[in-house]
Amino acid sequence: MNSRQRKELQLLIEHGSFSLSEFADLFSLSKRQIRYDIDELNLALEPTIGSEAVSIYRNVAYLHADITSQSLVKSEFFDERRDFSKNPLSVKERILLTAFYIAWSSKCYVTMQEIADNFSVSYDTVVRDMAEVRKYYAAHNIQVISEAGKGLRLAANESTRREILSSLVKEYKNLSRFHMAFDPHDYEELFPLENLQEVAAIVSNAEAYCAILLDDASFEAIIIHILLSVKRFKDVGTTNAPDTNVHASQSQLDEVRRNIASYIVEQVNNYFGIKLPDDELLYIGLHVGLYGWRVETDTPHVNTAIELACTALISAVDACMQAGFKQDKKLYTSLVQHIATAANRKTAHLKLSNPLREELLHEYGDLYQIIRQKSNSCGLDQLINPTEDELSYILVHFGAALARIHRAYQHKPRVVVVCATGIGTAELLASRLQQQFSLDIVSILAAHRLVSLPLDEIDLIISTLPSSITKVTTPWLKVGPLLDKEDCTKVAAKLSQLGFSTKQDVYVEADLSTSAKELQKILLEYPQPQDEPKLIAALHSYLEAKDKGGEDPMLSDLLCKDHIVLDVVCNDWQSSVEAAGQPLLKTGEITSSYIDEVIKNITEYGPYVVITKGIALAHASSAIGVNKTGMALVRLKTPVTYGNTANDPVSYVFMLASTGPETHMTALQCLSELLQDEASIACMAHATEPSEITEQIKRFEKTITVTIDC
């Protein structure tokens, strides 16, 4: 059981049930991966519980009523604190905690055998880990000293040690991919839960008492710093030499930060029954300003020098680029607040690392050079440390402004996606188009419904059908439903011909949950202040749609072994469609009228169902003959022709019946990926039993890297 699965189990214990969507959003994963986590939890719990511990119904996970933290501790499934022999650390977890263990011991040496015993691993494993631990410290310009007969120790003063301990805790927390608000359970393996909760309450009360608002990073950093301080005080004591860097910063603490630090130290001392040294007030006061904060009823707390430097920088960069930066008020506000926190970092002698630095420099290289050149002449270099990391963070704000300005003037091509039915292949095509291009897809519909649209407002029709089926004059492009590389080239060329940019949407591939992507799309669509009523309405519509729920089964749920028939003999395409419909007819998903409707549509509109070489996806509208969403597959003993010269003959016919797009999109997207996987195609070709294909589908579902909201 890994850290994420342990966290999932804790949440289920706390709440009794938890939706797969909430899990997926919390961990930035697909619901499919959450299902696999729950499968592994059940396997791990089975020897202890003796039955299925977690069940899933309508996309909600439910924990067996008899399972509690106490029952699991009593059964020795896990301890109140992590037992590494029962729940071993991952390699990355072990390296970070080993580094933490060494940094913590400021007086005595740590032996590698101690580390091995502490984390329940072999001595040889610790030897291998130490190579990575040394690399980690070297990257932070800290030396690990090794002395024969004594062990390992860190060559660092208390200030440096505090900084590295805080960094290690944050990195350890981020291994579980928790990027939301502070959650005490994220740090439960390092500090007692009740202490985490109490210190969080103290910091929250300090915000109210001093009338300031901390951002999430500051709030979390202060809590972890306080707990480290208390632990250091209890374990190490107060005999360390005063830190000159901190004392040099004492005069730089303004009244607001001094007040909040004093309040926090007083409350912490009362709660833990200790008296922290005076240095701690300075450490906490500096932490308030290292990330982001503001006075609750005021603008960001900055001085005139910062405001003038930011104004000068924006004007100087805009003079070089003529991009309209001076008109972007959000750029000014965000830059002023960022420079204020950067100035605090300089005062505290702390360095900032930007993990996106290389990507930013590659994407905005010219803009970065201008910012670097102008930062000195604008007086910015006197306020902050003008390192590449700090300047690349400033680049983030200018890059965001550039994107806002670009969106304000950009007109996305308005596109209609057309197929014979308005579902199935058209929805798959639309999904593929939105993955590859920045488009405004106005509608997805059947060919005969084109007459109902005001086509004078449409820039392009993209269809799986030829333009000859209708007499519209709007530009028309025929592509395959899977939108392969050749089709993408055709779309890009057509858009360019029509005068549109063909640059792909940079947000598509981001490591975001499905819900985050959907919300991001809504926010990007209404960026202007005057769009606020539309934005609110769109968000209401989105939330209402989410509340309605609806099943969205995986491909393996629909394409079970009873719906797969191998080596069927058919004389023509009509009989192959009938054969593909028989498994669904037998189990009641469709009536015979649905099969008739599919044959009628292919006869009228042509072989639109042949989606790639040798494969057809037979489908029609849900209006006739569909009782329940389902899918079937027949492998033909002898291929048949459908009239599609590029992809005939057809050897595999899938039949899709759907009650609506929300009930099949996950399965359809997975199918599109499956049909491009060589191992899966080989399995379909050589399987002797339907169960071989269903097992391959399940294996393939675990390997898909794109996030599908399943």
Side-chain angles (χ1 to χ4, degrees):
M1 182 171 64
N2 60 34
S3 295
R4 184 181 68 243
Q5 291 159 359
R6 181 183 173 89
K7 172 69 174 176
E8 290 163 351
L9 180 56
Q10 288 172 333
L11 289 171
L12 285 169
I13 290 171
E14 290 172 23
H15 301 282
S17 63
F18 216 77
S19 78
L20 300 191
S21 296
E22 290 174 316
F23 272 139
D25 289 344
L26 178 62
F27 296 106
S28 298
L29 295 172
S30 69
K31 286 191 280 186
R32 179 185 59 258
Q33 183 59 55
I34 299 301
R35 287 174 182 262
Y36 297 144
D37 280 355
I38 290 172
D39 288 343
E40 292 188 22
L41 275 175
N42 279 327
L43 285 174
L45 287 163
E46 186 176 4
T48 303
I49 305 304
S51 62
E52 186 179 70
V54 185
S55 58
I56 299 176
Y57 179 69
R58 291 187 175 273
N59 286 323
V60 176
Y62 296 88
L63 186 67
H64 194 284
D66 295 335
I67 299 175
T68 63
S69 293
Q70 290 71 28
S71 67
L72 291 175
V73 170
K74 186 176 180 180
S75 65
E76 298 184 349
F77 180 77
F78 64 65
D79 204 340
E80 291 292 351
R81 294 179 70 81
R82 186 166 183 173
D83 182 341
F84 298 125
S85 64
K86 297 175 184 176
N87 296 289
L89 295 160
S90 69
V91 175
K92 185 64 175 177
E93 285 178 318
R94 199 170 59 240
I95 288 168
L96 290 176
L97 288 182
T98 298
F100 185 94
Y101 195 66
I102 295 170
W104 192 260
S105 303
S106 59
K107 284 185 176 181
C108 58
Y109 288 83
V110 175
T111 68
M112 289 199 286
Q113 188 59 55
E114 285 178 45
I115 297 170
D117 293 342
N118 193 45
F119 299 133
S120 301
V121 294
S122 68
Y123 186 90
D124 289 341
T125 298
V126 177
V127 172
R128 289 194 297 271
D129 288 348
M130 278 307 303
E132 296 302 318
V133 171
R134 290 180 185 276
K135 287 181 184 177
Y136 180 90
Y137 278 124
H140 289 79
N141 299 314
I142 299 174
Q143 183 183 5
V144 179
I145 297 173
S146 178
E147 293 188 29
K150 292 186 176 181
L152 307 161
R153 67 180 178 86
L154 211 61
N157 61 25
E158 183 65 14
S159 177
T160 302
R161 202 177 293 270
R162 292 292 187 90
E163 183 181 345
I164 199 68
L165 285 169
S166 293
S167 297
L168 284 163
V169 170
K170 291 171 194 170
E171 289 192 44
Y172 182 80
K173 180 245 190 183
N174 286 339
L175 287 180
S176 298
R177 304 182 73 181
F178 308 146
H179 300 297
M180 302 175 69
F182 171 74
D183 187 340
H185 292 288
D186 296 349
Y187 299 100
E188 200 174 359
E189 292 166 8
L190 299 170
F191 309 105
L193 180 61
E194 61 271 20
N195 290 355
L196 284 157
Q197 293 170 330
E198 181 62 30
V199 172
I202 288 173
V203 177
S204 182
N205 291 339
E207 287 184 280
Y209 177 77
C210 300
I212 73 163
L213 297 174
L214 296 167
D215 68 7
D216 287 341
S218 293
F219 183 78
E220 191 160 346
I222 292 172
I223 293 169
I224 300 310
H225 170 80
I226 291 168
L227 288 165
L228 285 171
S229 298
V230 172
K231 192 171 174 64
R232 294 289 288 166
F233 178 82
K234 290 182 175 180
D235 291 1
V236 179
T238 60
T239 59
N240 295 292
D243 191 301
T244 55
N245 283 342
V246 174
H247 281 288
S249 304
Q250 183 173 3
S251 62
Q252 300 298 322
L253 280 186
D254 56 59
E255 184 179 357
V256 174
R257 282 187 287 163
R258 186 180 299 279
N259 286 343
I260 190 172
S262 299
Y263 179 91
I264 289 173
V265 169
E266 180 182 353
Q267 298 300 316
V268 167
N269 284 340
N270 290 338
Y271 175 72
F272 288 100
I274 59 176
K275 188 178 188 312
L276 291 173
D278 293 340
D279 283 359
E280 294 307 326
L281 187 144
L282 301 173
Y283 275 119
I284 294 171
L286 289 172
H287 263 77
V288 174
L290 292 182
Y291 298 91
W293 66 286
R294 62 186 176 88
V295 176
E296 191 167 10
T297 58
D298 201 358
T299 55
H301 194 79
V302 295
N303 59 42
T304 304
I306 289 175
E307 293 175 332
L308 289 175
C310 291
T311 302
L313 181 63
I314 292 171
S315 297
V317 175
D318 197 39
C320 292
M321 295 193 63
Q322 299 294 316
F325 289 132
K326 290 192 293 185
Q327 285 73 46
D328 190 335
K329 293 182 179 179
K330 189 171 183 179
L331 171 60
Y332 171 78
T333 302
S334 61
L335 191 60
V336 163
Q337 188 157 10
H338 176 82
I339 298 302
T341 58
N344 288 330
R345 280 191 290 273
K346 181 178 182 179
T347 300
H349 304 280
L350 294 178
K351 294 180 180 179
L352 182 71
S353 176
N354 187 347
L356 298 177
R357 182 185 63 196
E358 297 305 321
E359 295 177 44
L360 289 164
L361 296 183
H362 176 75
E363 180 73 18
Y364 299 106
D366 293 341
L367 179 55
Y368 173 79
Q369 294 301 330
I370 294 171
I371 291 172
R372 188 178 71 170
Q373 177 188 355
K374 299 300 179 183
S375 63
N376 184 36
S377 61
C378 296
L380 206 59
D381 286 5
Q382 283 71 51
L383 298 171
I384 68 172
N385 290 319
T387 63
E388 200 170 64
D389 287 288
E390 285 284 7
L391 291 178
S392 61
Y393 264 114
I394 293 174
L395 178 62
V396 169
H397 296 286
F398 277 93
L402 206 58
R404 286 193 297 272
I405 294 165
H406 179 66
R407 286 197 302 271
Y409 294 101
Q410 183 186 40
H411 165 51
K412 290 184 180 180
R414 293 170 59 82
V415 172
V416 171
V417 178
V418 173
C419 83
T421 64
I423 64 165
T425 50
E427 290 166 344
L428 178 58
L429 173 57
S431 174
R432 290 293 206 184
L433 285 167
Q434 288 185 315
Q435 285 180 345
Q436 297 297 327
F437 300 97
S438 180
L439 305 171
D440 180 8
I441 295 183
V442 176
S443 184
I444 304 171
L445 74 175
H448 72 275
R449 297 290 303 278
L450 276 172
V451 294
S452 64
L453 280 183
L455 293 179
D456 55 323
E457 299 178 3
I458 304 302
D459 298 304
L460 178 64
I461 297 172
I462 301 179
S463 177
T464 57
L465 305 172
S467 59
S468 57
I469 67 166
T470 182
K471 295 181 180 180
V472 299
T473 58
T474 304
W476 186 293
L477 183 65
K478 182 180 181 297
V479 296
L482 295 184
L483 202 71
D484 57 23
K485 290 183 179 179
E486 184 179 343
D487 288 325
C488 286
T489 302
K490 288 164 61 178
V491 173
K494 190 67 175 180
L495 291 173
S496 180
Q497 178 188 343
L498 294 172
F500 294 102
S501 168
T502 59
K503 184 178 180 181
Q504 294 184 355
D505 189 342
V506 297
Y507 296 99
V508 169
E509 298 299 327
D511 189 16
L512 299 174
S513 69
T514 303
S515 296
K517 289 179 181 178
E518 292 170 353
L519 288 169
Q520 185 183 63
K521 183 180 176 182
I522 294 172
L523 293 171
L524 290 174
E525 191 173 353
Y526 304 105
Q528 303 301 321
Q530 61 268 27
D531 295 333
E532 187 171 334
K534 294 180 181 178
L535 173 62
I536 293 173
L539 291 172
H540 277 306
S541 298
Y542 168 79
L543 292 173
E544 288 174 2
K546 293 288 281 186
D547 287 341
K548 291 178 181 177
E551 294 296 324
D552 190 6
M554 299 166 67
L555 180 60
S556 57
D557 295 329
L558 295 182
L559 204 54
C560 59
K561 64 180 181 179
D562 294 336
H563 284 179
I564 300 174
V565 186
L566 303 179
D567 301 325
V568 177
V569 177
C570 295
N571 298 322
D572 51 30
W573 69 262
Q574 289 93 336
S575 58
S576 73
V577 170
E578 291 175 347
Q582 291 309 306
L584 299 179
L585 190 63
K586 184 177 179 180
T587 51
E589 279 85 351
I590 62 172
T591 65
S592 58
S593 59
Y594 184 75
I595 300 174
D596 295 338
E597 186 70 7
V598 174
I599 294 174
K600 175 186 172 184
N601 283 343
I602 298 173
T603 302
E604 182 174 354
Y605 296 109
Y608 67 93
V609 298
V610 183
I611 59 175
T612 190
K613 196 74 175 178
I615 297 173
L617 177 62
H619 63 279
S621 169
S622 60
I624 300 176
V626 178
N627 298 323
K628 184 181 177 182
T629 296
M631 188 180 291
L633 164 65
V634 295
R635 184 178 71 191
L636 303 179
K637 190 173 183 64
T638 304
V640 300
T641 60
Y642 272 67
N644 185 315
T645 55
N647 293 320
D648 274 339
V650 169
S651 299
Y652 307 92
V653 183
F654 291 83
M655 172 73 83
L656 170 66
S658 172
T659 57
E662 70 278 0
T663 66
H664 70 254
M665 282 311 298
T666 291
L668 198 57
Q669 289 180 36
C670 184
L671 178 62
S672 73
E673 299 289 334
L674 184 86
L675 297 181
Q676 299 177 61
D677 178 61
E678 293 181 2
S680 299
I681 294 296
C683 179
M684 287 168 53
H686 302 298
T688 58
E689 296 291 336
S691 58
E692 295 176 37
I693 297 177
T694 58
E695 289 305 310
Q696 172 59 25
I697 291 172
K698 290 178 181 178
R699 285 193 296 271
F700 180 76
E701 285 174 335
K702 293 184 179 182
T703 67
I704 301 178
T705 56
V706 288
T707 301
I708 298 175
D709 195 9
C710 54

